[in-house]
Amino acid sequence: MNPPNDRHLTIIGAGLAGAVLATLLARRGWDVEVYEKRDDPRKRDLERGRSINLALAERGRNALRQAGADEAVMAQAVMMRGRMVHFADGRTDLQRYGRDDSEVIWSVHRGELNRILLDIAERAGARLHFDLGLQSVDFDNRIAHYGGRDGQSRAIPFRTLIGADGAGSSLRQAMAAETDLRERSDFLDHSYKELEIPPSPGGDFLIEPNALHIWPRGRYMCIALPNDEQTFTVTLFLPNAADPEAGVPGFDTIRTGADARALFDREFPDASALIPRLEQDFDGNPTGVLGTLYLDRWHLDGRAVLVGDAAHAMVPFHGQGMNCAFEDCVALAEHLDRTADRATAFAAFQAERLPNARAIQHMALENYLEMRDRVDDDDYLIQRALERL
Ligand code: FAD
């Protein structure tokens, strides 16, 4: 096996950041190979799965434009002008994100976005390998070991590994065995469950499509983002442990679909009426945990570097995890252009992006408190209204 040429880069993970980074680098003339542990999502039958969506903001769109992906992605995006707050008494209020429709965010379908980005990466010249997950790394000899469903392990040489393999990154784990990354994770004592609002019998959206809907209820809440197939993905955020004295439910007391229906009927009655399969969704979908990952070191000299969730997973309440991961991709591609020495490029990339990622992680935690509490607060609404004048 020949060692790769000096323009070769190996990306681990063909998710959102991996696909965008592969495109940006291939367009700049890098020889890019990508290893993904899952199957190619473009080849799967279009079985009806869960529709998970993400809020795409200007930071993310900037990277998509540079990758030549913005037009294809925006063709399936739904505009969200602001937060539509659903109060406990049934009133609603749209709090715009900006002055007009030039300052909005967009709801995009995660699966569709990934498929579009993979097509674009391949067209740019990146070579994608599916069903090959990184298992271990011999950094001294620059050999990476991958495995797939056939149970065979493959040893493949590399010059540099770029970890775009998400919050549970295998590359991060391998790097941590070589050097102390000063890694710590803070998990929230809240988790989430995804549900779905289907289209109306006539095929229309059942509630205002151009908004991010929020049902704030103090220490817990529910949100809904539109999909271009006229559905909404609803996410229920609850504490892990109920606080019965304060009347706050938790996943320890809301255990079944029937419990969830009773909670919705009581606390989110307008939403409950829109989710006919609430019991099945609740029982069938996994409960997701929420956490923030902090590292003080994102690279191992010039041999490995981390981007996106692998470097700085965050709680989703600012809708910026993917957007921030896309910004990493632009920054890393630019730093690799500036110097031939990869260790220098990675150190400069970390120096630029780590403080930004920390700031966004902090804002995401703060926004959680705001979405849960303050958007239901009259003083805050008045203040927002005055800001809009
Ligand atoms: P991922 O998307 O996790 O991709 C990692 C890829 O690596 C996957 O394809 C995985 O299969 C692959 N992989 C994993 N291990 C290996 C291995 N060993 N070898 C090879 N491949 C491997 N962000 C937003 O910007 N807006 C939002 O509205 C938003 N909402 C969110 C809602 C929720 C409930 C959650 C949990 C997150 C949300 N995020 C949002 C955050 C966003 O999902 C992540 O920040 C984003 O997916 C990070 O992209 P990534 O490419 O770094 O990681």
Side-chain angles (χ1 to χ4, degrees):
M1 250 179 305
N2 293 330
N5 64 65
D6 64 3
R7 293 290 288 171
H8 190 272
L9 292 166
T10 304
I11 298 178
I12 310 299
L16 303 179
V20 166
L21 185 60
T23 308
L24 294 173
L25 293 171
R27 284 181 145 212
R28 289 163 144 88
W30 291 92
D31 181 12
V32 182
E33 277 188 271
V34 187
Y35 292 88
E36 165 59 50
K37 78 171 175 192
R38 294 172 307 161
D39 284 331
D40 187 340
R42 297 165 300 175
K43 297 214 170 107
R44 235 177 273 147
D45 290 342
L46 284 173
E47 89 268 11
R48 179 144 168 69
R50 282 192 295 147
S51 225
I52 309 296
N53 47 28
L54 299 159
L56 172 68
E58 186 48 36
R59 296 163 176 282
R61 285 193 67 190
N62 178 42
L64 294 179
R65 279 186 211 104
Q66 295 197 32
D70 189 55
E71 201 179 316
V73 171
M74 294 311 287
Q76 57 93 30
V78 183
M79 184 206 284
M80 298 189 290
R81 294 195 166 94
R83 303 156 161 174
M84 180 73 82
V85 183
H86 296 250
F87 298 95
D89 64 8
R91 277 180 308 128
T92 57
D93 179 57
L94 178 69
Q95 303 172 2
R96 267 187 172 276
Y97 291 126
R99 259 168 207 287
D100 55 35
D101 285 354
S102 66
E103 295 175 326
V104 297
I105 56 173
W106 302 85
S107 177
V108 290
H109 187 283
R110 183 192 280 273
E112 194 54 36
L113 175 63
N114 201 194
R115 288 187 281 272
I116 292 170
L117 295 176
L118 291 174
D119 277 343
I120 287 175
E122 233 164 24
R123 278 209 297 278
R127 299 192 298 289
L128 312 181
H129 309 279
F130 292 93
D131 187 25
L132 277 182
L134 181 75
Q135 292 175 328
S136 62
V137 185
D138 173 352
F139 282 107
D140 291 338
N141 296 303
R142 296 197 190 221
I143 305 279
H145 298 269
Y146 304 87
R149 268 194 317 274
D150 64 6
Q152 303 281 322
S153 180
R154 288 157 185 82
I156 302 176
F158 66 90
R159 285 186 75 89
T160 292
L161 297 175
I162 304 180
D165 51 346
S169 171
S170 303
L171 179 57
R172 187 178 71 236
Q173 213 181 325
M175 289 163 66
E178 297 288 313
T179 188
D180 184 6
L181 303 173
R182 286 196 287 281
E183 173 176 341
R184 61 244 175 244
S185 295
D186 284 347
F187 288 96
L188 282 193
D189 52 8
H190 285 63
S191 301
Y192 70 93
K193 185 77 99 172
E194 278 153 342
L195 312 166
E196 188 182 89
I197 297 176
S200 72
D204 295 326
F205 284 104
L206 276 174
I207 48 176
E208 167 59 46
N210 295 122
L212 190 160
H213 295 263
I214 305 184
W215 288 260
R217 295 294 182 266
R219 287 165 59 191
Y220 59 102
M221 69 171 172
C222 195
I223 66 169
L225 272 70
N227 292 301
D228 71 337
E229 55 199 12
Q230 283 75 42
T231 61
F232 288 83
T233 305
V234 178
T235 313
L236 169 67
F237 296 96
L238 282 184
N240 297 329
D243 180 350
E245 274 177 28
V248 177
F251 277 111
D252 60 340
T253 53
I254 309 298
R255 286 194 216 126
T256 65
D259 296 339
R261 175 66 78 189
L263 171 73
F264 269 74
D265 284 347
R266 196 173 66 240
E267 304 295 341
F268 312 110
D270 53 340
S272 188
L274 304 170
I275 312 176
R277 291 178 51 82
L278 195 152
E279 289 86 346
Q280 293 92 323
D281 285 354
F282 192 92
D283 289 333
N285 293 344
T287 306
V289 295
L290 299 163
T292 308
L293 166 76
Y294 303 98
L295 305 180
D296 289 348
R297 198 174 168 76
W298 288 5
H299 72 106
L300 179 65
D301 46 63
R303 289 174 291 173
V305 65
L306 301 170
V307 298
D309 275 17
H312 50 65
M314 62 188 73
V315 296
F317 304 112
H318 201 33
Q320 290 291 349
M322 163 190 67
N323 290 288
C324 184
F326 286 172
E327 281 190 317
D328 288 351
C329 298
V330 172
L332 182 60
E334 286 174 355
H335 284 292
L336 279 165
D337 278 348
R338 281 187 205 134
T339 165
D341 179 48
R342 294 184 186 186
T344 305
F346 297 161
F349 163 70
Q350 177 188 310
E352 178 188 336
R353 293 298 304 157
L354 194 145
N356 280 298
R358 286 273 162 87
I360 296 172
Q361 288 176 317
H362 183 69
M363 283 159 67
L365 283 166
E366 270 189 352
N367 213 35
Y368 181 47
L369 301 176
E370 170 165 321
M371 281 171 52
R372 261 181 8 181
D373 296 325
R374 293 181 62 196
V375 289
D376 196 8
D377 174 325
D378 281 343
D379 289 342
Y380 181 63
L381 287 184
I382 291 164
Q383 184 193 321
R384 292 289 304 239
L386 289 173
E387 275 168 19
R388 286 205 300 274
L389 283 177

